[in-house]
Amino acid sequence: TSSPRRNQSNGNDSKSYGQPKPYMSSPFTTFGAVKHLLGATVTDLSRYLDVPVNTVKAYLGDEIAVPLDVMDKMMDLLYKLDVRADDLADEIERSPNSQYVEVVLPASSEEAARQGLYFLGFVINSSLIAASRANVFIKLVKPDQVATSTYVGN
């Protein structure tokens, strides 16, 4: 039997309880899953893919089909995240104190893009994956919190 709560209206519209808003990343779409893995916001993807924010929302809500060239860009960026995580993990493992590392984050997604790192979520997720691969503790530090931090990566 299904939960009665799942079939109730939320009172605001005809959508059933628990349904994501159309622009939210759905775990049931490849586009939404890749967005999540990249740590990207709708605005990040809009800038990276050079499409309007509403188009990204439509892709996420499965309202329109994601063109193959757009999925190719997304998969290419996912590959770049994996490569950055591997490179960062290698760098961490070569460091003298490889039990703990601090990564200084760019101040914003725009700053990350200027550094060639696409957007802030890309930096965060690739750093977390790297720490996991290198089996170390990691501290992500905002630029205004830097005292004596060691920056790892580009």
Side-chain angles (χ1 to χ4, degrees):
T1 65
S2 68
S3 167
R5 186 178 264 212
R6 289 183 193 259
N7 297 322
Q8 289 178 345
S9 170
N10 64 11
N12 296 326
D13 58 29
S14 61
K15 293 181 181 168
S16 63
Y17 175 83
Q19 292 294 325
K21 293 180 184 176
Y23 63 87
M24 291 180 68
S25 183
S26 169
F28 303 110
T29 67
T30 303
F31 189 85
V34 174
K35 174 195 171 288
H36 178 75
L37 291 169
L38 291 169
T41 66
V42 170
T43 303
D44 293 334
L45 290 183
S46 172
R47 288 183 186 140
Y48 178 72
L49 298 170
D50 196 26
V51 298
V53 167
N54 287 337
T55 301
V56 174
K57 289 178 181 180
Y59 293 156
L60 291 168
D62 211 19
E63 295 171 18
I64 58 174
V66 180
L68 287 177
D69 65 321
V70 170
M71 273 316 298
D72 284 346
K73 284 182 178 180
M74 293 286 287
M75 297 310 288
D76 182 57
L77 192 55
L78 189 58
Y79 172 77
K80 290 175 182 177
L81 180 130
D82 188 56
V83 168
R84 181 172 191 273
D86 272 348
D87 291 348
L88 202 51
D90 290 344
E91 190 173 332
I92 290 168
E93 288 171 345
R94 286 191 305 269
S95 68
N97 179 10
S98 61
Q99 293 300 308
Y100 173 83
V101 73
E102 287 185 358
V103 174
V104 179
L105 298 173
S108 64
S109 282
E110 293 78 14
E111 180 63 28
R114 281 192 290 277
Q115 294 176 16
L117 297 171
Y118 307 102
F119 44 83
L120 190 56
F122 180 91
V123 177
I124 292 170
N125 282 12
S126 60
S127 298
L128 293 172
I129 292 167
S132 175
R133 290 178 183 171
N135 199 28
V136 298
F137 293 104
I138 191 166
K139 180 178 181 182
L140 301 174
V141 182
K142 294 179 183 177
D144 59 346
Q145 296 173 331
V146 177
T148 57
S149 296
T150 303
Y151 181 76
V152 179
N154 321 9

